[in-house]
Amino acid sequence: MTTSEYLVTGMTCGHCERSIREEVGEVAGVEDIKVSATSGTLVVTSHTPIDDTQILNAVDDAGYSAVRVR
């Protein structure tokens, strides 16, 4: 399993979390998504590594911006 963590800016509520979860969930290979508006984090788990660009684009499509932190 591969886990990647991102810092997301602009999230303020559960709706924000849901929007990001829906967009990132469409990326091929994503197995699990943990997103928190409180901490501003997104953690993506997959069986094989996923190109960060795909995750960052999905977050952008949801209307937010992110950077990888781990």
Side-chain angles (χ1 to χ4, degrees):
M1 295 296 258
T2 300
T3 301
S4 302
E5 184 174 342
Y6 304 86
L7 183 60
V8 181
T9 56
M11 286 192 297
T12 59
C13 63
H15 180 266
C16 300
E17 294 172 350
R18 189 170 37 258
S19 295
I20 290 172
R21 191 176 293 112
E22 288 174 2
E23 290 294 335
V24 172
E26 292 181 12
V27 175
V30 170
E31 294 294 321
D32 187 51
I33 302 164
K34 291 182 178 46
V35 60
S36 170
T38 304
S39 65
T41 57
L42 165 66
V43 179
V44 178
T45 304
S46 59
H47 284 294
T48 59
I50 297 174
D51 183 2
D52 286 332
T53 304
Q54 292 180 285
I55 301 300
L56 297 175
N57 286 340
V59 172
D60 185 61
D61 288 346
Y64 306 90
S65 60
V67 293
R68 184 164 178 177
V69 293
R70 185 173 64 87

